[in-house]
Amino acid sequence: SYVLTQPPSVSVAPGKTASITCGGNNIETKSVHWYQQKPGQAPVLVIYYDRDRPSGIPERFSGSNSGNTATLTISRVEAGDEADYYCQVWASSSDHVVFGGGTKLTVL
Amino acid sequence: QLQLQESGPGLVKSSETLSLTCTVSGDSVSSTNSYWGWIRQPPGKGLEWIGNIYSNGTTHYNPSLKSRLTMSVDTSKNQFSLKVSSVTAADTSMYYCARFTAADAFDIWGQGTMVTVSS
């Protein structure tokens, strides 16, 4: 089955740029989606189709996908961005959804 | 504005069947190309996909749970449902329902409902 690998944690100072990676075999051939989950809340879609932002998501959130790694980038990080972030793909070969293990973003 | 709301027992006994319902408002559960899904999250852990159901009744299940799952759609109530049989403590989780888009992403989520399996 397809596996997505994320670092357990990433730390960043306010105002800096955070990069959260999502590794998968030839992931560039898949569409990658990203979710933000704050404590006690349901996940929120922040990036879909590798780099598109849903309505209401700040431009500070961006995504890319190349080779075996997809990346969520958060520019000018704010305290309110502190959350868990999950990547997700559709494994078409087996018709199922795969989530990465999640990355806890800490704003120092 | 589309909204989803999970409902069901918060406590289920081990070996019994967990049953949850997701009520859809702001859209029809049977809209063309409507896809709906269930995701769960054990306390302190990551997201686990359970399965999807399509407006035509087609289902896709997580292979690790497939033998215990049943999903259905009730168009008269604008709801879709999840049943997990033979539950154990490992099924204790927050359960979310969500809309699964044509982009293969979950764009709208319910607030979630916590289910605890007791022995």
Side-chain angles (χ1 to χ4, degrees), chain B residues 23-74:
Chain B
T23 299
V24 178
S25 58
D27 191 10
S28 170
V29 72
S30 58
S31 295
T32 303
N33 296 327
S34 292
Y35 314 136
W36 311 97
W38 291 95
I39 304 96
R40 70 181 184 180
Q41 185 173 35
K45 297 189 177 181
L47 301 173
E48 179 183 31
W49 175 67
I50 300 172
N52 289 351
I53 186 165
Y54 299 81
S55 55
N56 64 3
T58 299
T59 53
H60 292 131
Y61 294 151
N62 185 323
S64 67
L65 300 169
K66 185 175 182 177
S67 63
R68 300 192 292 128
L69 295 180
T70 303
M71 291 185 184
S72 60
V73 173
D74 186 337

Side-chain angles (χ1 to χ4, degrees), chain A residues 2 22-30 32 50 64-71:
Chain A
Y2 196 77
C22 176
N25 183 37
N26 211 20
I27 197 173
E28 67 178 1
T29 64
K30 302 183 183 301
V32 180
D50 298 338
S64 63
N65 188 5
S66 179
N68 293 315
T69 304
T71 303

